[in-house]
Structures are given as structure tokens and as C-alpha cells.
Amino acid sequence: MKHPFVFTTKKNLSAIDMRTVRPRNEGRNFFHFLMTRLMLIYLFLFFISSSAVSQSYQETETGVVVHCNSMQVEIQFFSNSIVRVIKWPEGTNFKKESLSVVKSPESISLDISSENDLISLQSDDLTVNLNTNNGQVSFYKNNGKALLKEKNDGAVFVEIDDAGVKSYSVSQTFGLETDEPIYGLGFQQQGRMIQRNLEMNMIQNNTESFVPFFQSVKGYGLFWDNYSPTIFSDSTEATSFNSEVGDCIDYYFMYGGNADGVVAEMRELTGQVPMFPLWTYGYWQSKERYKSQEETVGIVRKYRDLGVPLDGIIQDWQYWGSNYLWNAMEFLDVEFPDPQRFVNEVHELNAHMIITIWSSFGPKTKQYRELDAGGMLMNISTWPESGSQLWPPRLDYPSGVRVYDAYHPEARDIYWKYLNEGLFSLGIDGWWMDSTEPDHFNWQPEDFDFNTYLGSFRRVRNAYPLMTVGGVYKNQRAVTSDKRVFILTRSAFAGQQRYGANTWTGDVVASWNALRNQISAGLNFSLSGIPHWNSDIGGFFLWEYPARLDDPDYRELYARWIQFGAFCPMMRSHGAEAPREIFQFGSKGEPVYDAIEKFINLRYLLLPYIYSTSWDVTANQSSFMRALVMDFANDPKVLDIDNQYMFGKSILVCPVTEPMYTTNGREDFSTVKSSEVYLPKGTDWIDFWTGEKHSGGQTIKKQSPIDIMPLYIKAGSILPVGPKVQYATEKKWDNLEIRIYPGANGKFTLYEDEKDNYNYEEGYYSTITFYWDDANSTLTIDDRKGSFPGMLNERHFNVVKVEKGKNTGMVPMVIDRKVFYNGGKIEVKL
């Protein structure tokens, strides 16, 4: 029940009506009339004076601003389910334009009321309460369910000198439920799924990309919008973000109902995911490094000769020559004498090339001279430190390499100008943006005092990858819409999903533990709203394997890592100290070679499924790699599983993350070993390799020879399978196999477009939706929606109902029905 003296913004009425009081009887005692008026005025003034301190607030277009506890607090509703909270010390002013947030506040109906010391703001989805005594903010569902509360007096401002500018270190503490799982925070290498009971120093580095965002199993997410080095701390008592510098506390609360919903809200806030070209989902080969154009082209030619599929080759560093010419964005090394022929030869082999570019420049480059003249180079120690290419580095010959100020719009344009002239004009297909953290060695406090375009480096440190990657994306989009932007980057920040970027997990050291750690790293990164990521298949450094490829344990590890890589958003082999091409692991007929080839081929068979999943990511804010909590939140056993996941919404992937066939330095494949797999409850599961059906909610053992990674298909799934090819676009999808996994009703939408331009943004694409009615064993292929140039107007679908012993694994299926389809709705009875 509300207090009788309550103001609401919708009605804007006082409890006391101050209209003129007119006596009924003209002869009434005037003194009585006067006393009545004075009493009413007294009551009104009493109400105003008593409520001014506890209930006074200023209404804004999006919420309220309140002065309380020596600070200003503003609540802004960006939508019915996204709320921004800003706090700043009284008597200060600031202007902030978010680097991550692109959404503008919507116009929504908001009910604002106050009672005693509490101001309540209610949208269609959320209720936000603000305590005017201490500034505490609490979030609720409109049904009264508590979601998240700040701690009493949880906002802290400590005045600091930030490179000569008065500012604050800022922190905010929240109270989570003791057993409340949370996920996200970017990716790290700790092998953790649930991000509780830890302290994390969030500053971008080679193998860790921090995103100050987490989401809860309760269906909400929280984005801490600060770019300075930040400590995230969590215990059973409190959860906090503490940032080195900020003019204000600034965070966004969002409610999505479940993990997919929270990811959708985060992308609504910070940007949607553009489509990647189809070829980026094929297989990619790389190493540190191919030293001539003949070597690089020769690798592509070797794959073609072997008949092993390949879509991309990556040219790593030093094609520019000496370290003094670092990142010149031109082929200046004598081993690359004809760059145009180099690129053309790769393309003539029906492959694509991406090339490494960095965030820094050597002192003899054109870029360095132009940026330096404009004061757009930073003074931090970075890679390479030596002008000599000898190892270890000769520091008595400093390289003079400097990082550019990516926060400066003119610097980003200069960066692109040289990239466009030197490489894009040759037909290079994409960019491997290395060291986008950027590399920062031998930190000194004064390093962070450097005055970037947006203030001290300290203030904007963690957003560097967002700015440099965004600069390339925006500039390429301005040049052409005929080629989709594709960027492989070593670091990321909130919002980077909007820039056509696939982040890899850095230079990890090869080990079985490292392989397992990539799974939880990628899943938490995906739960942070950024869906495209990958790891160096096989690990970058081989420090634990001095025998390199002669070590049987490493060969087994590589085979298992490539199996995992086949079910990541990008499948890319790369590393130092030993080459990683398939022919380095033997020849056809040998166990490790055959296992590698098998999973590369499987990746290509699944391209129609993968590309349709890519569309689901773009159009419906879905995720490629799905932590089990996303689809089975009601199964408590999946909440902390860190070594299994869903790839798309149909395939349960269970990577093998321990050695089985190597003992005392010897390989032995004679006895088949088994892996333990947990099948989430709530559905049946069909073994991809055997067709055997299992009930969910149990742990089973699956035989896992070196060429088998446990894969299970969710009952009711419809899986489109493509033709056997050597590269992604070799053959048309005019005879797709449509696999039905019975046991539940199902739905799948097949997406198709021109494969590599932005015409889809104008509606040039098609979708065909398949429905499976399990009770009636009927597949309905719906009317095709949409069209695009080059679309297949007529085709066949080879419909297969998967059954144990009949249709299994990768072998050609026994077709149940061959269906002719010309775009009209048809039903297929099986």
C-alpha cells in the first residue's frame, strides 16, 4: 500500500488540492475560515519540507537524477529491459561518450514514484529502486523477483591525479546470491567456467582479452563501461569492479530472461554481428612463418595435390624486411619479389590469403614518419624491442618501433591509407591484426600518462583493440561493399563483435591442459556477446615438447586439437617452432594423418549447417559455441561443465582433452580407449558416429579411437550436409543431404546468399525452413522466402532418417527420399 503523500510522474498530482476554498455561508465566522486556510498551508509546507530531502528527484527523458550521499545518481532506461546507472561526486561535471555502447535510449512508458527514502522506476519489464539515503540501486522483475542489488555504500570515489588531470578511481560493489553462477568477463586461460570466487586484474595481454561484462544464470547481465585497468573481485560477501580512472561510475544492467536473451541485449547495446564470408568457415593453414612467396604458394599447391580441403593461407610477419621497416604494409623482403603474382597465384588455386599487420611501426616506415609528425605515436616499449632479428634480442640495437594512437580518428585513417595502398589494392582478402592489445613490455607508471586523443593511456587502455580493429572495419566498408571485412585479431573488447572480427586466444603454450582451457575460454567469450573466436590449433609454443613433431604425445595432442578446432567458429592451424601442415604428420593410411584429414573433411560437410548458424548469429543474436547452460539451464549438472558445449543448437561436442594412445614416448593404437560424456537431461541424444540413441541426464562412456571425437546430435535436429569439396564454394548446394534425427519435433532454417558481399543487408538472401513432425514421421519443407542473384531456383534434397546401423557418421547415407524442390511448400512422409 502506498503512502497517501506520493507523487507519480504519470499523474503529477499532489495529495493536497490547493484550489481556493470558498465558504458555503457568507455569514460564517471569518476567523474560522482564516484558520482553516492557514492549517491547509501548514500541512502543505510540512509535506514539502519533510519530503524534499527524502523524495526529491529530477525527472529526465529517460529516468531520474537524484542527489544523495554526496553524489549525483542518474538512472537511464535505454529500453524496457536495459538500464544505465551513472554516479559521480557532487560538484563535478564531465562529458562521456561511450566507446562500446552504440544504442540510443528508446522512448518508453515509465512509471516513477517515491515513498519515504525510495524512488521506484518501473518499465514493462523491470523495476529499479534507488535509495536516496545511500545511493543504493536494486533491480527486480516486475513480479517482485529480486535480480541484483548494489551493496550499501557500495559506490566509492578516490580522487587521483591522472597525468595532470583531476579524476577518480571508481568502484562499485554488488551483492550476488552465494550459489549464483555467473559467466563471461571475456576469455582467460584459467580453465574456469563459472566466474565466482576469484580476483581478476583486467588489463589486455597476449593470451587474455578482458570484457568487463558478466551474466547470471538468473537471466540478467551487467556491463561495466570503463576502459582503464580494472580489478574484478568476487567472493561470497561481495562482487565488485574497481577501475583505476573514471569521471563516474557507469554501468548497464540488462535483463534477457536466459543466456541467449542476455547476449541479445548486450549486442543490442554494443552492436550486432555482420555476416562473415562463407570461405572464412573453411580450413586455414598458417605457421610462424612462411619465408617466401614460393613457400606460401607451395603450401596451397601441396594441399590441392593431396586432395585435402583448404580455403585460406596466412602470411605471417617480416614480409616487409627488417625490423626498422616493421609493419610497412608492403612486400619489401627480397623473398617476395612479385606481390601481385603472389596474391594472384593463391587465388588461382581457389584459396584466400590474409596477412599480418600490427599496431606499431618501425622508424624507417612511411607510416611512422607521418604519424610521428602529427604526435600520434605512443611512448611504450613494444615488440620487437631490437632492430636485429637475432634471438635473443640485441637490446643494444633498439628497434625504435612505436605503437600508434588508435584512439585518434586521423591516425586510424592514416593506418588505413597505407593498408589500402600497399596490400588491399593487391587483392588481399583479410587482415591478421596481431598485437592489438597492444604488446606493452616493462611497464612504467609514466607509460600510462601518455596523452592519447581521448585522454591518458591509463583512461582508455583496455579499449585499444576495439579502436584499432574498428578503424580498419569502418574504412574498408567505406571503400567497398563487394568484399566482406574479415579480421583475425589477438585481442578484443566489448562491442568488437560489430567489426567483422574473429579473436584468437593468443600465443598459448601447447599442452593437454591448454587444450582444455581453450574450451571454457571460448565459451565465456561467447557468453560475453562476442561469437567469433578461435585458438592456434596445436598451441603456438612447443616448450613442453622439445622433440617437436617427433614427440608421439604432441602428435596425439595435435590430432585432438584439430578435432576441437573443427567445431569452433574458425578452424585455423598455426604455431611456432615446428610446421603444422597435415603432411608433417605422416601420410595417408597413418593414424594421425587420417584423423586430421577426416575432421577437415567433416568441417566442409557441415558448411551448410555452419553458414546457417552464422546467419542465426547475425539475424537472431545467437551464438556458435554454446555453453550447456544456454540450452539446458534447468539441468544443474551442466552449470559448471567446462569441457563440453553445443556447436549451434544441434551438435553436442565433447573434445578429448587427455592422452590415450601415448605411453612412455610410444604410440599404441591397438586398444581403443573411451571418454566420459555427460548428456544433458530434457532430450534424447543420437550418437553421430553410430546412430545409437541415449536418454539425457546421464554420463556414458564413448569409445574414442584417435579418429573419433564424441559427437551427439540432439533428438529432433535437422542437419543439412553439403558435398565433399576442396574449398567452400567449389560445388553448388543443389543436392544437399537433409539428415533427420528422430525422437522429438524439430525445426531448422537453411540460409543462403551470394557468400561474400553485403547485399544481404539489403535483403538479397533466401531462407528455407524445415519442420520435422516426429509423431507422424513427416518432414515439411516450407516455401522459400527471399531471393538473390545466382540463387538455385530448382534443386534436390536427399532426405535421410538417421537410424542405428543404417545412417551414421560421415559415410554416404542411405537416402530415404530424393525430393525435387522448386521453392514451393512440400511434405515428405518417411
Side-chain angles (χ1 to χ4, degrees), residues 114-129:
S114 64
E115 182 176 355
N116 297 328
D117 298 325
L118 203 65
I119 298 174
S120 181
L121 301 88
Q122 184 173 328
S123 70
D124 289 345
D125 294 332
L126 293 174
T127 297
V128 180
N129 290 339

mmCIF file of all heavy atoms in Angstrom, residues 114-129:
data_model
loop_
_atom_site.group_PDB
_atom_site.id
_atom_site.type_symbol
_atom_site.label_atom_id
_atom_site.label_comp_id
_atom_site.label_asym_id
_atom_site.label_seq_id
_atom_site.Cartn_x
_atom_site.Cartn_y
_atom_site.Cartn_z
ATOM 1 N N SER A 114 7.730 7.740 -5.624
ATOM 2 C CA SER A 114 8.629 7.824 -4.477
ATOM 3 C C SER A 114 7.848 7.617 -3.195
ATOM 4 O O SER A 114 6.677 8.003 -3.085
ATOM 5 C CB SER A 114 9.341 9.178 -4.442
ATOM 6 O OG SER A 114 8.415 10.224 -4.266
ATOM 7 N N GLU A 115 8.511 6.995 -2.245
ATOM 8 C CA GLU A 115 7.913 6.762 -0.936
ATOM 9 C C GLU A 115 9.021 6.717 0.102
ATOM 10 O O GLU A 115 9.957 5.927 -0.016
ATOM 11 C CB GLU A 115 7.140 5.447 -0.938
ATOM 12 C CG GLU A 115 6.447 5.150 0.384
ATOM 13 C CD GLU A 115 5.620 3.881 0.319
ATOM 14 O OE1 GLU A 115 5.508 3.287 -0.773
ATOM 15 O OE2 GLU A 115 5.083 3.476 1.365
ATOM 16 N N ASN A 116 8.929 7.596 1.075
ATOM 17 C CA ASN A 116 9.977 7.705 2.096
ATOM 18 C C ASN A 116 11.339 7.918 1.411
ATOM 19 O O ASN A 116 11.519 8.895 0.690
ATOM 20 C CB ASN A 116 9.978 6.484 3.005
ATOM 21 C CG ASN A 116 8.680 6.363 3.781
ATOM 22 O OD1 ASN A 116 8.055 7.374 4.117
ATOM 23 N ND2 ASN A 116 8.263 5.138 4.048
ATOM 24 N N ASP A 117 12.288 7.006 1.616
ATOM 25 C CA ASP A 117 13.634 7.182 1.063
ATOM 26 C C ASP A 117 13.834 6.391 -0.224
ATOM 27 O O ASP A 117 14.969 6.198 -0.663
ATOM 28 C CB ASP A 117 14.677 6.724 2.082
ATOM 29 C CG ASP A 117 14.631 7.546 3.349
ATOM 30 O OD1 ASP A 117 14.359 8.751 3.249
ATOM 31 O OD2 ASP A 117 14.848 6.973 4.430
ATOM 32 N N LEU A 118 12.765 5.935 -0.849
ATOM 33 C CA LEU A 118 12.882 5.056 -2.001
ATOM 34 C C LEU A 118 12.204 5.669 -3.224
ATOM 35 O O LEU A 118 11.044 6.077 -3.167
ATOM 36 C CB LEU A 118 12.243 3.696 -1.699
ATOM 37 C CG LEU A 118 12.729 2.512 -2.533
ATOM 38 C CD1 LEU A 118 14.192 2.216 -2.247
ATOM 39 C CD2 LEU A 118 11.865 1.293 -2.224
ATOM 40 N N ILE A 119 12.956 5.739 -4.308
ATOM 41 C CA ILE A 119 12.402 6.114 -5.608
ATOM 42 C C ILE A 119 12.322 4.854 -6.442
ATOM 43 O O ILE A 119 13.292 4.090 -6.544
ATOM 44 C CB ILE A 119 13.258 7.178 -6.304
ATOM 45 C CG1 ILE A 119 13.301 8.456 -5.484
ATOM 46 C CG2 ILE A 119 12.711 7.476 -7.696
ATOM 47 C CD1 ILE A 119 14.248 9.495 -6.028
ATOM 48 N N SER A 120 11.181 4.617 -7.053
ATOM 49 C CA SER A 120 10.964 3.409 -7.834
ATOM 50 C C SER A 120 10.651 3.788 -9.281
ATOM 51 O O SER A 120 9.804 4.643 -9.534
ATOM 52 C CB SER A 120 9.802 2.595 -7.241
ATOM 53 O OG SER A 120 9.593 1.405 -7.965
ATOM 54 N N LEU A 121 11.362 3.148 -10.213
ATOM 55 C CA LEU A 121 11.142 3.346 -11.637
ATOM 56 C C LEU A 121 10.735 2.017 -12.244
ATOM 57 O O LEU A 121 11.421 1.006 -12.071
ATOM 58 C CB LEU A 121 12.403 3.856 -12.341
ATOM 59 C CG LEU A 121 13.008 5.178 -11.860
ATOM 60 C CD1 LEU A 121 13.999 4.940 -10.712
ATOM 61 C CD2 LEU A 121 13.714 5.895 -12.995
ATOM 62 N N GLN A 122 9.614 2.008 -12.945
ATOM 63 C CA GLN A 122 9.090 0.747 -13.453
ATOM 64 C C GLN A 122 8.811 0.852 -14.949
ATOM 65 O O GLN A 122 8.105 1.736 -15.407
ATOM 66 C CB GLN A 122 7.811 0.357 -12.710
ATOM 67 C CG GLN A 122 7.259 -0.999 -13.120
ATOM 68 C CD GLN A 122 6.094 -1.432 -12.231
ATOM 69 O OE1 GLN A 122 6.056 -1.098 -11.056
ATOM 70 N NE2 GLN A 122 5.162 -2.172 -12.799
ATOM 71 N N SER A 123 9.410 -0.086 -15.713
ATOM 72 C CA SER A 123 9.117 -0.228 -17.140
ATOM 73 C C SER A 123 8.217 -1.442 -17.314
ATOM 74 O O SER A 123 7.759 -2.041 -16.335
ATOM 75 C CB SER A 123 10.412 -0.404 -17.928
ATOM 76 O OG SER A 123 10.980 -1.678 -17.657
ATOM 77 N N ASP A 124 7.989 -1.843 -18.544
ATOM 78 C CA ASP A 124 7.171 -3.035 -18.778
ATOM 79 C C ASP A 124 7.849 -4.303 -18.274
ATOM 80 O O ASP A 124 7.180 -5.302 -18.000
ATOM 81 C CB ASP A 124 6.869 -3.185 -20.272
ATOM 82 C CG ASP A 124 5.890 -2.138 -20.769
ATOM 83 O OD1 ASP A 124 5.234 -1.481 -19.928
ATOM 84 O OD2 ASP A 124 5.786 -1.963 -22.002
ATOM 85 N N ASP A 125 9.195 -4.281 -18.137
ATOM 86 C CA ASP A 125 9.924 -5.487 -17.762
ATOM 87 C C ASP A 125 10.575 -5.433 -16.385
ATOM 88 O O ASP A 125 10.695 -6.466 -15.722
ATOM 89 C CB ASP A 125 11.035 -5.777 -18.791
ATOM 90 C CG ASP A 125 10.488 -6.119 -20.158
ATOM 91 O OD1 ASP A 125 9.366 -6.645 -20.229
ATOM 92 O OD2 ASP A 125 11.191 -5.857 -21.152
ATOM 93 N N LEU A 126 11.028 -4.244 -15.986
ATOM 94 C CA LEU A 126 11.868 -4.141 -14.803
ATOM 95 C C LEU A 126 11.360 -3.093 -13.831
ATOM 96 O O LEU A 126 10.702 -2.126 -14.228
ATOM 97 C CB LEU A 126 13.302 -3.760 -15.194
ATOM 98 C CG LEU A 126 14.125 -4.764 -15.993
ATOM 99 C CD1 LEU A 126 15.449 -4.124 -16.400
ATOM 100 C CD2 LEU A 126 14.368 -6.027 -15.180
ATOM 101 N N THR A 127 11.707 -3.291 -12.553
ATOM 102 C CA THR A 127 11.548 -2.274 -11.524
ATOM 103 C C THR A 127 12.926 -1.973 -10.948
ATOM 104 O O THR A 127 13.664 -2.895 -10.574
ATOM 105 C CB THR A 127 10.609 -2.739 -10.405
ATOM 106 O OG1 THR A 127 9.306 -2.957 -10.938
ATOM 107 C CG2 THR A 127 10.525 -1.696 -9.296
ATOM 108 N N VAL A 128 13.283 -0.703 -10.934
ATOM 109 C CA VAL A 128 14.563 -0.276 -10.383
ATOM 110 C C VAL A 128 14.290 0.632 -9.198
ATOM 111 O O VAL A 128 13.570 1.630 -9.320
ATOM 112 C CB VAL A 128 15.411 0.466 -11.435
ATOM 113 C CG1 VAL A 128 16.743 0.896 -10.829
ATOM 114 C CG2 VAL A 128 15.633 -0.414 -12.656
ATOM 115 N N ASN A 129 14.835 0.271 -8.049
ATOM 116 C CA ASN A 129 14.664 1.070 -6.828
ATOM 117 C C ASN A 129 15.971 1.778 -6.483
ATOM 118 O O ASN A 129 17.049 1.182 -6.562
ATOM 119 C CB ASN A 129 14.244 0.191 -5.649
ATOM 120 C CG ASN A 129 12.826 -0.320 -5.789
ATOM 121 O OD1 ASN A 129 12.022 0.247 -6.531
ATOM 122 N ND2 ASN A 129 12.508 -1.405 -5.094
#
